[in-house]
Amino acid sequence: SPQERPQALINVKIVVVKPADRLTIIVSKKVSGKAVERNLIKRRIREAVHSFSTYPKLTIIALPPIVRKPFSEIKSAIEQSMK
């Protein structure tokens, strides 16, 4: 049924824009006002993308529900988006 989507897609919001010149990760202040949290999100996204592709050429925009999500949820959401 339509409501049985993977849990990661419901809890982690990202937008993947293809193609791009290089890997670009955008996490605005609307996601988190704290630079430490924004940088943590960027590092998690970067590591998740690199686990699927050596030289990805994507633009990823993180949306507010990604805050405080574990790496496993972020990784599965990116994997679903890259298919």
Side-chain angles (χ1 to χ4, degrees):
S1 84
Q3 293 182 353
E4 293 181 13
R5 296 188 308 172
Q7 190 69 18
L9 292 179
I10 296 168
N11 291 331
V12 178
K13 299 289 185 176
I14 59 170
V15 177
V16 177
V17 181
K18 311 179 221 186
D21 295 332
R22 60 190 178 122
L23 176 62
T24 308
I25 301 169
I26 301 169
V27 183
S28 75
K29 285 187 179 180
K30 290 182 181 179
V31 173
S32 175
K34 296 181 180 180
V36 172
E37 283 186 357
R38 292 194 307 272
N39 291 336
L40 176 65
I41 292 167
K42 288 179 191 179
R43 285 194 306 271
R44 287 180 175 176
I45 291 172
R46 189 177 307 113
E47 182 59 34
V49 171
H50 283 300
S51 68
F52 300 116
S53 176
T54 309
Y55 298 106
K57 294 186 176 184
L58 303 168
T59 298
I60 298 175
I61 303 169
L63 302 175
I66 200 168
V67 176
R68 296 186 189 94
K69 296 298 176 187
F71 176 73
S72 59
E73 286 187 37
I74 294 171
K75 185 175 178 179
S76 58
I78 290 173
E79 182 179 20
Q80 293 293 323
S81 298
M82 290 178 70
K83 288 183 179 179

